[in-house]
Amino acid sequence: MRGVWGILVLLLGPAAPLFGHGVEARRIEGGVGLHAVYSDGEPMAFAEVTVTAPDGEIHQEGLTDRAGAFLFTPDTAGTWTLTADDGLGHRVSLDLTLDEGMVVVPGPRRRPPGRLPGAVTGVSLVFGLFGVWALWRASLRRASA
């Protein structure tokens, strides 16, 4: 019976972080800034933001608003890095490249992550739980025999 509990801990212990959610940063259209949201659509409200200039120096620090948005005024062309951190383990960065007219140069469009990783995790969890249940039943049969 002890072996079953050990297997259960090994199977479910590493799975605990999988129940969290990710974060995403999007460029704000018509401005220079980011919109930080969790994967469930909730905004990263009042997250700490660090703006790093193209020369690598910290240009500005601040907080996102209640909608997860943060805007700033750049003073030079180049690639700026905006990093949002909610202090709870969620952190996301966004690079914005500005031309000489201080206009954001559109980068390649990234496809948002699909549902496949979540589905694979769910199926794996179901099979893992079934395996633990099967081992438990087998140990009960051996104990009664």
Side-chain angles (χ1 to χ4, degrees):
M1 188 66 165
R2 271 188 292 186
V4 172
W5 287 109
I7 291 172
L8 183 65
V9 168
L10 286 175
L11 287 175
L12 295 179
L18 298 177
F19 295 113
H21 53 256
V23 291
E24 176 184 350
R26 301 181 202 130
R27 178 172 64 93
I28 294 179
E29 297 294 328
V32 181
L34 67 79
H35 183 225
V37 294
Y38 297 106
S39 60
D40 64 1
E42 284 292 314
M44 278 182 69
F46 310 111
E48 294 180 3
V49 178
T50 302
V51 179
T52 306
D55 63 5
E57 296 291 321
I58 293 178
H59 173 75
Q60 183 177 347
E61 294 177 324
L63 299 174
T64 59
D65 63 13
R66 76 177 66 228
F70 180 86
L71 292 167
F72 77 104
T73 304
D75 58 1
T76 185
T79 301
W80 294 77
T81 302
L82 288 79
T83 304
D85 188 339
D86 70 356
L88 300 172
H90 297 98
R91 182 183 176 118
V92 65
S93 291
L94 177 68
D95 290 336
L96 296 175
T97 302
L98 302 174
D99 63 15
E100 294 299 323
M102 297 301 142
V103 176
V104 177
V105 176
R109 286 272 183 200
R110 290 183 302 163
R111 271 185 40 205
R115 298 280 183 201
L116 184 60
V120 170
T121 300
V123 169
S124 299
L125 187 60
V126 167
F127 278 111
L129 291 173
F130 177 76
V132 169
W133 176 78
L135 286 171
W136 178 69
R137 297 264 308 172
S139 69
L140 286 179
R141 285 188 194 138
R142 278 182 276 183
S144 65

